[in-house]
Amino acid sequence: MRGLLAPLALLWGLGLVLNLSSAPQVRAVRPLVHTTLAPSPPPTAILPSFNPTSIPQATRVLYKVRPSEGMVAVASTATAVEYAVAAAGPGESLKALAQNLSALATTEWVALDEVLHVHALRVDSVTPDDPDFPEQWGLEAVHAPEAWATATGAPTRAAAVTVCIVDSGIDYDHEDLAANMAAAVGVSMLPGSPGPMDELGHGSHVAGIVGAAGSNALLVSGVVWGNVDLLACRFIDGDGLGRTSAAVDCVNYCLAQGARVIQASWGGAAAPNAAMQAAMEAAEAADALIVVSAGNDDRDLDAEPQYPASYAAERANVLAVAAVGRAGALSSFSNRGAGTVALAAPGEAILSTLPGNATGVLSGTSMAAPFVSGAAALALSVAGPGALPAPALKRLLLESAEPTAQLRGRVGAGLLRLDRVVAAAAALAAAPTTAP
């Protein structure tokens, strides 16, 4: 367990320090044991993401060649993003390479293969393996118990909604996740990686928030209890970093597997990226909603964009999510911007699954976004096939939110309300259909 948590603990050491006036009480990192862990004093600081100087710079570019007359696409689909990769030669700068490629009449677009990173802060605890739902304050905050009175997942496994977790992988053998894994399980886009098993812990934690099996007398519960297909696409490595090209490949994979929701708890690009924009467009064409964490830089994204979260301001199928604490106030680390960040969800001291049949606590907008992905999956499950195209699903989530004084002017729609989301989806399902 210590080996699995070490990379996440490293993320703590790479951050910038902010002082908290009232930090939540947490527990020290310890091995998984079968006894109650005594609480330790609350931390005096919380660390937002990475120090920008610690992120490796791009070393290659991605580009797309315009199809010429008579050219036949090979192994292509309508939604796949196709691109080529080029690295700078000896003595050639990456900027010069990009400019030279852009100058060619055959080039449609050029983009840096930027390095992205997760939006989690640190591991605050490891808990004993007993049912811990009472400690999952975030589910109470979004009124999940009221929503579960109507639905806890799709009516049958055959009708399960696929949620693709584009992250560091998932511990697909975890006792609280295995039952809700998709039949395909997933893939890894990391060179030399045989499969989507999570070596960092971040992706497993995110997956547990979306869909840890509920009411099974084991550990924790996800937003969706069952009849959901969690699909893993691993592109984040053991240091919490991943390349744009691999993220685009993951989006292609998710769409090929029929995912209706794509969960993306990562970011870091300061400018739009043509390859990632093409991936967002492909997802919209395939009717997939992409839920993105807003980031942990205490930044107003309306004034200082950060991608992919800032695509939410212009795309009908992208939704950016901020983090709140137990009192409902925006987390001190969370990015914001009422024109870009539409929803907020719990993101401080969130208990969820970790590799090795463990659970632990993480903080960050990485943890807030999967609450919304779970809500989207539950809405699709209740509304039924074809009832909620991606733009309509995004509108339903926003129109069901609770505006609060604490979030006014900082988050567009307000706080996620799962009970209202499910009620709106159920009303849609019950509405009479008009014959063509």
Side-chain angles (χ1 to χ4, degrees), residues 170-433:
I170 300 176
D171 179 1
Y172 45 81
D173 290 328
H174 194 293
E175 62 182 346
D176 227 5
L177 295 173
N180 287 339
M181 292 299 302
V185 180
V187 297
S188 175
M189 298 301 176
L190 291 175
S193 172
M197 179 56 74
D198 187 8
E199 297 178 4
L200 179 65
H202 187 269
S204 297
H205 199 274
V206 166
I209 296 169
V210 174
S215 196
N216 63 346
L218 291 173
L219 302 174
V220 294
S221 174
V223 171
V224 188
W225 282 12
N227 289 341
V228 63
D229 283 342
L230 300 175
L231 184 68
C233 190
R234 184 183 179 202
F235 90 104
I236 297 288
D237 63 19
D239 293 321
L241 305 174
R243 291 192 176 276
T244 296
S245 54
V248 170
D249 291 343
C250 275
V251 173
N252 282 341
Y253 172 76
C254 296
L255 300 181
Q257 294 294 319
R260 288 296 316 277
V261 182
I262 298 176
Q263 166 57 46
S265 281
W266 37 267
N273 180 288
M276 188 60 70
Q277 286 178 306
M280 300 288 174
E281 291 169 4
E284 186 170 5
D287 212 19
L289 178 72
I290 302 180
V291 181
V292 185
S293 52
N296 304 333
D297 308 298
D298 185 25
R299 175 185 298 182
D300 184 344
L301 297 187
D302 291 348
E304 300 178 81
Q306 184 184 97
Y307 296 86
S310 290
Y311 293 123
E314 59 193 48
R315 303 215 65 88
N317 68 316
V318 181
L319 204 165
V321 185
V324 297
R326 290 175 184 263
L330 190 72
S331 299
S332 63
F333 54 79
S334 181
N335 289 348
R336 58 201 177 277
T340 303
V341 183
L343 274 182
E348 292 182 19
I350 302 300
L351 180 67
S352 186
T353 47
L354 286 174
N357 290 334
T359 59
V361 173
L362 284 173
S363 295
T365 56
S366 274
M367 287 58 254
F371 278 94
V372 176
S373 289
L378 205 53
L380 290 168
S381 298
V382 172
L388 279 172
L393 176 58
K394 179 177 177 178
R395 286 195 303 272
L396 184 148
L397 290 164
L398 301 188
E399 291 170 359
S400 302
E402 179 182 356
T404 68
Q406 293 165 301
L407 298 176
R408 187 177 299 120
R410 312 182 85 188
V411 174
L415 183 66
L416 173 69
R417 282 288 298 264
L418 188 61
D419 56 335
R420 295 180 182 177
V421 169
V422 170
L428 190 63
T433 56

